[in-house]
Amino acid sequence: MLERGPACMAKPYSNDLRKRVAKTIAAGETCRVIAAQYEVAPSTVVKWSKRLKETGSPAPAKFGGHKKCSLEPHRDFVLAQVEEVPHLTLHKLKDMLADQGIAVSHDTVWRFLKREGRSFKKTAYASEQHRVDVARKRQRGFF
């Protein structure tokens, strides 16, 4: 078996090995025999065989990369809602999106808004401080 320790991130097997396995598959050997011969798991041979039938090549699919945000096509709608209701909660925004047929998680909404430079942090002071009665009490030292 090839060494793949827990500290290493999994990598695709080499194309050379995949091509040799593909030749043996074409020769009619069973998956278990091929797996033993090339010291790979039988499930690996099955997957490569399936990939060979579907694509005509045992080469691996794209590995890694960046996934686009599912809210990007709805960017204008989301930002318009945030502009319209500045104190909109993430959960409420998620529910509004669901009403539009857009199913996303709370975390997806949060990450999208973070990338857009929007913040949902509370202010450093209570809004009640702007009330006249509260301001008067603060001046007198009652708080």
Side-chain angles (χ1 to χ4, degrees), residues 25-97:
I25 290 169
E29 280 295 343
T30 66
C31 289
R32 290 195 183 279
V33 170
I34 296 170
Q37 181 180 346
Y38 292 103
E39 297 181 342
V40 296
S43 61
T44 301
V45 177
V46 170
K47 288 176 190 174
W48 291 353
S49 175
K50 183 178 178 185
R51 179 176 261 318
L52 187 61
K53 287 176 188 172
E54 290 174 353
T55 67
S57 170
K62 184 180 175 209
F63 192 77
H66 176 72
K67 183 181 173 188
K68 287 186 177 181
C69 179
S70 56
L71 285 177
E72 195 58 43
H74 312 287
R75 181 178 184 274
D76 293 337
F77 173 78
V78 173
L79 295 179
Q81 298 308 310
V82 173
E83 289 296 323
E84 189 175 315
V85 184
H87 299 293
L88 188 63
T89 65
L90 293 175
H91 289 290
K92 181 65 177 167
L93 184 53
K94 183 185 89 154
D95 293 342
M96 293 170 86
L97 288 163

